[in-house]
Amino acid sequence: EAEVAQSPRYKITEKSQAVAFWCDPISGHATLYWYRQILGQGPELLVQFQDESVVDDSQLPKDRFSAERLKGVDSTLKIQPAELGDSAMYLCASSSMGQGETQYFGPGTRLLVL
Amino acid sequence: GQSLEQPSEVTAVEGAIVQINCTYQTSGFYGLSWYQQHDGGAPTFLSYNGLDGLEETGRFSSFLSRSDSYGYLLLQELQMKDSASYFCAVAGGFKTIFGAGTRLFVKA
């Protein structure tokens, strides 16, 4: 069964350092999402791609976060510099069209900023 | 804008039936989805309602009333493994918004 892949699974970094997360969606899925989930809360959408184009990044803190999906397949989310408040689970999901249909989530990257 | 409300916690006993409600406000509604998330795990899809009515998938059912901006997830024959967080999610336009989640505790 096809799955969304993410790496690393865990990341510990010090504040002011740069971190990067990678996501490989299910093959053929045009839509890719990056979410941030703080413990006890629901996933918060950071950025949504349709193929290689950003369709929503209204909640992405653009002064420190960046995301790209250059060839419309895998994607990288970067934080520079990391802050203590960035400690959270970063989830990647994909779906076939991005119109409310099922999203398939990867296992997530748990980030701890010290 | 978009917003969702669901209870923060629900407790039920093994074998019982539990209903988790979700009310929403959104512009451009496509449908209401439900996801399950165990501690430390990723959300997994449970159910989707694009039209009014009841959708049944095994022990789980989901209901939608578009006129009331309301839906619920019904879990029957509760098992200990159903202890998890349950999120409703509204798709409006090209954006999906997740609720804060309902933590379900199943007691023996």
Side-chain angles (χ1 to χ4, degrees):
Chain A
E1 182 175 306
E3 295 180 341
V4 176
Q6 286 188 252
S7 67
R9 294 291 307 278
Y10 304 92
K11 179 70 178 179
I12 300 174
T13 191
E14 294 183 346
K15 63 181 181 179
S16 79
Q17 296 298 303
V19 292
F21 312 134
W22 176 80
C23 172
D24 191 14
I26 292 173
S27 178
H29 277 189
T31 310
L32 185 147
Y33 314 79
W34 282 103
Y35 290 92
R36 176 171 59 189
Q37 186 176 29
I38 295 169
L39 195 64
Q41 298 183 19
E44 174 195 17
L45 180 68
L46 292 175
V47 61
Q48 178 177 337
F49 290 93
Q50 188 72 20
D51 298 310
E52 66 275 9
S53 300
V54 173
V55 296
D56 190 326
D57 63 356
S58 57
Q59 300 302 311
L60 188 71
K62 298 181 187 65
D63 57 334
R64 298 185 301 108
F65 286 62
S66 64
E68 60 183 16
R69 192 184 184 198
L70 292 177
K71 297 182 179 179
V73 181
D74 59 338
S75 175
T76 302
L77 178 70
K78 297 179 181 177
I79 308 175
Q80 183 172 19
E83 296 181 353
L84 297 178
D86 297 331
S87 295
M89 174 77 89
Y90 290 83
L91 294 162
C92 177
S94 70
S95 66
S96 56
M97 292 187 300
Q99 293 182 359
E101 75 281 6
T102 302
Q103 295 185 27
Y104 297 88
F105 284 82
T109 296
R110 188 169 293 282
L111 173 67
L112 179 61
V113 182
L114 301 175
Chain B
Q2 293 172 283
S3 65
L4 298 98
E5 286 191 16
Q6 54 181 127
S8 58
E9 280 188 15
V10 173
T11 301
V13 296
E14 207 173 6
I17 299 172
V18 70
Q19 179 174 313
I20 300 174
N21 298 320
C22 175
T23 57
Y24 61 87
Q25 282 188 313
T26 183
S27 52
F29 179 83
Y30 274 123
L32 184 71
S33 301
W34 289 92
Y35 289 80
Q36 179 191 59
Q37 186 178 30
H38 287 98
D39 286 347
T44 57
F45 172 80
L46 289 178
S47 186
Y48 174 78
N49 294 75
L51 301 173
D52 286 358
L54 193 67
E55 294 285 340
E56 298 180 78
T57 309
R59 295 186 299 113
F60 296 168
S61 303
S62 60
F63 172 83
L64 174 66
S65 168
R66 296 170 68 126
S67 60
D68 295 324
S69 298
Y70 164 77
Y72 66 73
L73 178 70
L74 193 72
L75 298 86
Q76 302 181 73
E77 301 172 15
L78 280 175
Q79 303 175 8
M80 298 298 289
K81 68 178 181 180
D82 297 329
S83 292
S85 292
Y86 293 84
F87 297 93
C88 59
V90 166
F94 284 98
K95 191 166 183 172
T96 299
I97 302 295
F98 283 77
T102 298
R103 189 160 180 89
L104 172 63
F105 296 94
V106 180
K107 303 188 301 184

